[in-house]
Every structure is written in C-alpha cells, then in structure tokens.
Amino acid sequence: MNANVDVMRYYPETWTREQSDAFAQRVMRLIDERGWGFWAVEERASCQFIGFVGLHRPSGDLPFAPCVEVGWRLTKSHWGLGYATEAARAAIVFGFERLRLAQIVAFTAIGNVRSRAVMERLSMNVAGEFDHPGVPSESGLRRHMLYCLYSTL
C-alpha cells in the first residue's frame, strides 16, 4: 500500500518495505502505550487488510500543535466505498467519548480532494492553510489544508 504511487500521491515519496514495517512497529508501540492510535482496517466479508484509520498525536513543529488528528490510508482498490468515512467517524466518536478530546483535526495537501471530501463528510470545518514543516519547501505538496471538529459533549 505504501509503495503504491497513487496511494502515496500526496506524500513526498513512496515508502520501501522497511519504511512501512518501521511505521507499523511505531503504530503498534503507540497503541500499546496509549491504548489508541492508527488501527488496522479489514474488510468484514473477506477479513482482508485494507489500510489503517484512527487517531494520532502528530510529532513535529505543526503550527497548531499539540493536537490529535484523525487520519487514514487505504489500498487503492478500496477507495470510494465509504470505508474511510465509516472508520474515521468511529475513531472520532472514540476520541470525543472515550478520550474526552475537545477537538480533533485533520490535514492534507491542498490538492488531495479525495481526503478533503472525507473530512467534509465527517462535518469537519476548514480552519485554514499552512505549510507543512515535514514536507520539503520545493515540493508542490507543502501547502496543506487544516480541518477541525469540536466536541459537543
């Protein structure tokens, strides 16, 4: 999934197997430490791994940090089927009800209209634009949109 150029189109580069495995290890370690994170997503009917969705506390020098983001990455063959929206909605409920978060954010490169559409289906509101400090300045992907959702609890 992380080596697929379409899946990784809005990231600075595709990942090697080693990078993907290291990411999976970090995700599992964070879930062990916190009890939450990016969770593996399986298709119910086939039990096939189709990606990940969940909550994450981004590291780095984001202009709106500290924060908790909702995020997702799915295999291309499972795009457009509602899985990202369904699973992200469940992650948001978990974040507000179980973690008692006041706000959850999401962000993506401006051109990533598919992910931005998911954010809008989640009733997230545009909170502005920013230059992602983890994306090289010469990259056309540096400019990002920030979306926010606030708890009503």
Side-chain angles (χ1 to χ4, degrees):
M1 173 180 73
N2 294 320
N4 183 288
V5 292
D6 291 326
V7 171
M8 299 298 281
R9 178 177 178 190
Y10 295 102
Y11 291 85
E13 61 188 14
T14 58
W15 291 359
T16 64
R17 177 61 185 249
E18 292 76 20
Q19 289 171 308
S20 290
D21 289 348
F23 175 77
Q25 292 298 318
R26 280 192 310 275
V27 165
M28 289 187 290
R29 181 179 45 77
L30 287 170
I31 290 173
D32 287 345
E33 290 172 9
R34 296 181 182 149
W36 55 273
F38 285 139
W39 295 291
V41 177
E42 293 181 346
E43 186 178 51
R44 282 189 187 137
S46 67
C47 296
Q48 175 187 6
F49 171 80
I50 64 169
F52 67 82
V53 178
L55 301 173
H56 179 67
R57 190 176 309 275
S59 58
D61 196 19
L62 295 172
F64 45 88
C67 61
V68 173
E69 71 168 310
V70 61
W72 50 86
R73 187 174 308 153
L74 300 179
T75 58
K76 186 176 180 183
S77 60
H78 291 88
W79 289 359
L81 301 173
Y83 292 120
T85 303
E86 177 185 1
R89 190 169 283 125
I92 289 168
V93 168
F94 178 88
F96 287 149
E97 292 183 1
R98 298 279 303 275
L99 301 179
R100 310 302 286 172
L101 298 172
Q103 170 186 288
I104 295 174
V105 302
F107 50 91
T108 190
I110 287 180
N112 190 348
V113 296
R114 296 180 73 86
S115 280
R116 290 178 60 188
V118 172
M119 295 168 195
E120 291 167 11
R121 282 193 294 276
L122 295 169
S123 299
M124 300 186 89
N125 296 306
V126 174
E129 297 180 13
F130 69 100
D131 287 332
H132 195 298
V135 178
S137 58
E138 64 276 3
S139 171
L141 302 174
R142 186 170 172 91
R143 197 75 180 153
H144 274 54
M145 293 295 297
L146 172 66
Y147 287 74
C148 293
L149 187 63
Y150 295 93
S151 174
T152 58
L153 300 178

